[in-house]
Every structure is written in C-alpha cells, then in structure tokens.
Amino acid sequence: MSAAETPSARPHRVRDPELHRRAILDAAARAFTERGYNKATLRDIARRAGVTHGLVLRHFGSKENLFLAAVPGTRSIDGISEDSPEPLPARIARQFVRRMEEPDGTDTFLALVRSAADDEHAAGALYVAMQERTNEAYRRLLGAHALEHRVPFLAALLVGVTFSRYVVKAGALAEMNVARLTEDLTSAVEALLSSDLEARSSRDSGDRM
C-alpha cells in the first residue's frame, strides 16, 4: 500500500454542523435566486453545497423551511428592531436597499417575487409565512394597530420596489442611484408609518412621566 493510500493520508472529513448549515443556506440563496422557488430543487442545492440530500433535509426538513431560513428579510428584522438613534423608517430603507444591492444578487426575496409568475400558490404561501415571521417584531416596534393597518402596505411597497428595480429593471426606480433610492424610500416609509410612530412616541413619553 502506498503512502498516499494509507489511512493517515486519506482526506479527513470535517464534521461541522454549523459549517454545513451555512453552506446549504448560501447554496440555497443562489439556487432560489437563479431558478426561482418552483424550479429549484433540494438535490441541486445539496450538490452546490457539497453535502448530501439527506443532510439538507436533516437540517431544514423541507424546501419551504429552507427557503424561509435563507430569506435575509426574516433575519434582518432583528437588526431593524435593535435600539438605535437612527429613525425606524431610515433603518428599514437602508437595510432593504443594502440587501437588494448586494453584487452577487442572491437575495431570496427576489426569488419570491420572481416565483409569483411560475407558481402563484407557492409564492403566496411563502409570502404569508414570511410576514408571520416578522409580525412580532413589527408589533413590538409599532404596535398592534400598525401591524394590522400599516405593515401590509409597507410589505406591498417593498415588493413593488423589488419588482420595478430588480426584476423588470425599468422605469424611474431602476434609474435612481443608490443614495437617492435610499433617501426616497425612507421618505415613503416615513409617510406611511408617521402617525403610528408619533402615537408610539407619545405613549412611551407618557410611560416615562
């Protein structure tokens, strides 16, 4: 047996669940963005991540769960909800634009919007699931009234911006530079949420008195 064939010389397979999970999420983001939710497969994602199909299922259970885990929007809400001197509308706009402008173009929110044309039912179910994952954070930030009467319009605004600038890539939004887009989106979010932000601020001031 040659030295290259001895057990000590064989490549050592690293068992790192978190490393595997990260590789799967990265591969899923690429696959969903390139192929859309309906056409992306768990076997293709496993191949891209360099793991087995069974390992993907062991980590995430289903394609829907994997998609939701890979969507930055459901994770970045935690950053938006952290205490910050930056006004909430500015935080929402800045984080949204930063995510969508990533040069690799693998934000899976894009995949959701693109998938609507291929599979309306699946896209709708995923959209509702994404909203449910962020509802508690928005309730905490804005209150129950805003969650029911403002947040659905905020979601529709962000979907519209995504479609215009990043899917069809046409019109005024597609032609704006990033700084102008962020500034104008901040103003739009502020106009939408202003009354609830003022009401929340008044309540907080009253609680401190």
Side-chain angles (χ1 to χ4, degrees):
M1 181 182 291
S2 68
E5 295 174 326
T6 61
S8 59
R10 291 171 186 164
H12 178 64
R13 179 173 291 180
V14 177
R15 295 184 179 276
D16 187 336
E18 185 53 37
L19 185 64
H20 288 155
R21 188 175 191 279
R22 185 69 259 167
I24 294 167
L25 286 172
D26 289 344
R30 293 194 304 274
F32 285 130
T33 304
E34 292 170 11
R35 308 198 67 192
Y37 177 81
N38 195 40
K39 294 180 181 178
T41 67
L42 291 182
R43 292 192 183 280
D44 178 51
I45 291 168
R47 181 188 58 78
R48 293 175 187 237
V51 301
T52 65
H53 176 257
L55 187 62
V56 175
L57 288 174
R58 191 151 59 245
H59 274 281
F60 297 98
S62 68
K63 185 164 79 165
E64 178 179 336
N65 288 341
L66 175 55
F67 181 89
L68 291 172
V71 174
T74 59
R75 302 195 303 272
S76 64
I77 189 67
D78 294 330
I80 292 171
S81 62
E82 292 174 357
D83 289 337
S84 170
E86 185 180 32
L88 180 61
R91 275 180 277 161
I92 292 172
R94 177 176 53 77
Q95 289 209 24
F96 173 80
V97 173
R98 178 183 58 77
R99 280 173 34 218
M100 302 305 289
E101 294 287 334
E102 287 289 338
D104 59 5
T106 58
D107 192 297
T108 41
F109 189 61
L110 276 171
L112 177 65
V113 175
R114 288 172 177 152
S115 294
D118 296 329
D119 190 335
E120 181 180 337
H121 176 73
L126 290 168
Y127 182 70
V128 170
M130 287 171 60
Q131 285 188 315
E132 290 174 349
R133 285 195 171 199
T134 58
N135 277 351
E136 186 52 39
Y138 279 119
R139 185 193 303 277
R140 198 166 59 246
L141 289 166
L142 295 166
H145 180 272
L147 180 63
E148 182 178 353
H149 297 282
R150 301 287 183 268
V151 172
F153 290 96
L154 173 61
L157 170 64
L158 298 181
V159 169
V161 173
T162 301
F163 183 77
S164 297
R165 183 175 176 89
Y166 303 104
V167 178
V168 299
K169 301 179 181 180
L173 291 178
E175 295 170 2
M176 285 184 183
N177 61 46
V178 172
R180 172 72 184 280
L181 175 68
T182 305
E183 180 182 349
D184 287 356
L185 182 57
T186 298
S187 297
V189 174
E190 185 175 22
L192 182 61
L193 301 180
S194 59
S195 61
D196 292 279
L197 288 170
E198 289 170 7
R200 188 60 180 257
S201 179
S202 297
R203 287 196 301 272
D204 291 345
S205 297
D207 291 342
R208 288 194 293 268
M209 292 179 64

